[in-house]
Amino acid sequence: QVQLVESGGGLVQAGGSLRLSCAASGSDFSINAMGWHRQAPGKQRELVAGITRGGSTNYADSVKGRFTVSRDNAKNTVYLQMNSLKPEDTAVYYCAAGITLRRLNDYWGQGTQVTVSS
């Protein structure tokens, strides 16, 4: 019912910035939260950041103060502004949508690669 398409990934130097976008189509009214997970090779998928329709946010401790999640409800689009990037941030980033911030598991995007060089 919902399709998510990420964009904005790429290669960036440590300390630099990158902004990811996720456009949603085919709205599901039960969806109240959207956000981002990431997965690096050999590691479990990790919830990075999420945001509700009302603007409440949640961040992983590892990205607090560096990443900012935002949304444009009119465009059904969420963004992830990533600043002060570290090599440890290198991963495939997946957009996700769900009922709550703690359960962003209902819909998934295709993923976009973020690589941070040291």
Side-chain angles (χ1 to χ4, degrees), residues 21-92:
S21 299
C22 175
S25 61
S27 298
D28 180 343
F29 291 125
S30 69
I31 297 299
N32 192 49
M34 295 180 66
W36 301 86
H37 297 75
R38 66 185 181 186
Q39 187 167 30
K43 302 180 74 174
Q44 289 187 316
R45 188 168 296 187
E46 172 191 24
L47 177 62
V48 176
I51 186 168
T52 67
R53 291 184 183 273
S56 298
T57 58
N58 185 50
Y59 296 93
D61 288 341
S62 59
V63 306
K64 286 181 179 177
R66 300 188 298 119
F67 290 11
T68 302
V69 63
S70 60
R71 86 294 182 198
D72 184 337
N73 288 334
K75 295 182 178 180
N76 291 322
T77 300
V78 296
Y79 307 92
L80 185 66
Q81 179 67 45
M82 304 184 292
N83 298 326
S84 302
L85 282 162
K86 306 174 181 179
E88 305 91 270
D89 296 317
T90 296
V92 177

